[in-house]
Amino acid sequence: MPNSKTVLIVDDDPVSQQLYVAALTGLHIAFHSCNNANSAYQEICHERYDAILLDLILPGANGTHLLHALN
């Protein structure tokens, strides 16, 4: 995709993940997704993202813990 952006969706609800993608379809955005904070942390450490859509209520470590870990 020319000039595409990459967004990481961190949400344990697959329906919410699909809604994010549907809402942003047509904007030349590539999506990756994770369903928990631990896998998202690993993903963020290895890949560069233009934006992260982060659910705060996740199984295990929540989204707030992820934000603090990235700080």
Side-chain angles (χ1 to χ4, degrees):
M1 274 185 239
N3 299 320
S4 68
K5 302 293 183 186
T6 305
V7 173
L8 178 64
I9 300 170
V10 185
D11 197 321
D12 60 322
D13 180 10
V15 173
S16 293
Q17 290 182 14
Q18 292 172 350
L19 289 172
Y20 290 130
V21 172
L24 300 171
T25 296
L27 298 177
H28 303 291
I29 297 174
F31 296 97
H32 295 233
S33 63
C34 294
N35 60 10
N36 63 65
N38 293 330
S39 62
Y41 183 80
Q42 294 300 317
E43 189 72 22
I44 293 165
C45 287
H46 292 96
E47 298 292 330
R48 182 179 170 101
Y49 292 94
D50 296 295
I52 300 170
L53 296 173
L54 176 62
D55 183 12
L56 294 180
I57 302 171
L58 296 166
N62 65 36
T64 302
H65 289 120
L66 176 59
L67 288 175
H68 288 292
L70 295 172
N71 210 356

